[in-house]
Amino acid sequence: RIAAIPGVTRADPAVRGKVMASRDGARGLGDVYGISDAALKALPGVVDPDRAMGNIADFDQGIAIGIGLARTLGVGVGDRIQLVSPDGAQTAVGSTPRVESYPVVYIFSAGRWDIDEARIYMPFAEAQAYFNRDGMADEIEVYVTDPEQVDRWTPELLAATEGLGQVWSWRDASGSFLAALDMEDDVMFLILSILVLIASMNITSGLIM
């Protein structure tokens, strides 16, 4: 139903979870996105061959990680890393951490620090099994023709989910970053205005003298 909305170019189910990634004593926090092979290949910041290592065609055989996380763990293409999730198998005494090892088949640089330092892409079916999401997805990633006007799709998206969903756009996810840009714009305007005023006063006083 979401994919059929006019202006929506793609609607991809995703499984998300937080993990601790480790290898040979090095550790880092990972933000796992379980997506399909087609969805991964449609991400322009990930498939850029000039900023990536490995073969994205091997995604179904392992995981893809950001270059910052690869640097933290000291891994390259072909190395295996261990992922630890607190939401593991359910037992009589509660849930136990789930520990799995995966080969790194692709290392990418998206150009954003927060993505390169933590992002892990995992095949959708494998993520379902790892995070106990059999037959389910945590979210649907929606891509539209005009991201600058993303808010105008909110009513139709909520209607497509029959009131059971929530809309979280890139504006919400990057709210603090956008607020910082607005503040920088205001401060730079004030600073440049003062500089222009000082220069104008110097020129004017020089002409009068």
Side-chain angles (χ1 to χ4, degrees), residues 150-151 153-159 161 165-170 172:
V150 65
D151 293 335
W153 276 277
T154 298
E156 294 181 86
L157 291 173
L158 291 176
T161 63
Q166 296 178 335
V167 176
W168 180 260
S169 72
W170 65 270
D172 301 317

Side-chain angles (χ1 to χ4, degrees), residues 79-104:
D79 294 332
R80 299 185 70 90
I81 64 174
Q82 192 176 67
L83 302 184
V84 181
S85 170
D87 299 325
Q90 298 294 328
T91 66
V93 294
S95 62
T96 60
R98 185 182 298 276
V99 181
E100 295 288 347
S101 177
Y102 296 96
V104 176

Side-chain angles (χ1 to χ4, degrees), residues 2-12 42 44 140-157 167-171:
I2 291 176
I5 296 175
V8 172
T9 58
R10 282 204 341 268
D12 302 319
I140 298 177
E141 295 186 338
V142 182
Y143 298 83
V144 296
T145 53
D146 187 3
E148 295 292 336
Q149 304 295 327
V150 65
D151 293 335
R152 75 181 181 88
W153 276 277
T154 298
E156 294 181 86
L157 291 173
V167 176
W168 180 260
S169 72
W170 65 270
R171 294 184 187 276

Side-chain angles (χ1 to χ4, degrees):
R1 291 197 297 267
I2 291 176
I5 296 175
V8 172
T9 58
R10 282 204 341 268
D12 302 319
V15 173
R16 290 192 59 180
K18 300 288 187 179
V19 298
M20 182 183 73
S22 64
R23 180 179 184 269
D24 294 339
R27 294 177 175 83
L29 296 178
D31 188 11
V32 177
Y33 277 65
I35 60 177
S36 67
D37 181 73
L40 179 67
K41 292 179 180 178
L43 298 176
V46 174
V47 298
D48 186 353
D50 295 331
R51 307 173 68 179
M53 294 175 285
N55 189 356
I56 198 172
D58 298 331
F59 179 57
D60 59 341
Q61 302 174 20
I63 59 175
I65 66 174
I67 192 171
L69 182 59
R71 187 182 303 113
T72 299
L73 300 178
V75 300
V77 175
D79 294 332
R80 299 185 70 90
I81 64 174
Q82 192 176 67
L83 302 184
V84 181
S85 170
D87 299 325
Q90 298 294 328
T91 66
V93 294
S95 62
T96 60
R98 185 182 298 276
V99 181
E100 295 288 347
S101 177
Y102 296 96
V104 176
V105 298
Y106 192 71
I107 299 175
F108 61 88
S109 175
R112 277 182 49 181
W113 179 88
D114 55 332
I115 294 178
D116 291 342
E117 289 290 328
R119 186 66 55 87
I120 300 174
Y121 288 109
M122 181 183 293
F124 183 71
E126 182 62 33
Q128 284 181 312
Y130 182 79
F131 290 108
N132 298 322
R133 302 288 198 277
D134 292 338
M136 297 185 294
D138 293 316
E139 62 184 35
I140 298 177
E141 295 186 338
V142 182
Y143 298 83
V144 296
T145 53
D146 187 3
E148 295 292 336
Q149 304 295 327
V150 65
D151 293 335
R152 75 181 181 88
W153 276 277
T154 298
E156 294 181 86
L157 291 173
L158 291 176
T161 63
E162 299 179 348
L164 301 177
Q166 296 178 335
V167 176
W168 180 260
S169 72
W170 65 270
R171 294 184 187 276
D172 301 317
S174 304
S176 58
F177 178 70
L178 295 175
L181 289 179
D182 288 338
M183 180 178 296
E184 181 185 21
D185 183 59
D186 295 338
V187 172
M188 289 303 298
F189 175 78
L190 178 62
I191 292 175
L192 292 176
S193 297
I194 294 175
L195 292 177
V196 170
L197 178 61
I198 294 174
S200 300
M201 291 177 62
N202 289 334
I203 294 174
T204 303
S205 62
L207 291 174
I208 293 176
M209 293 299 293

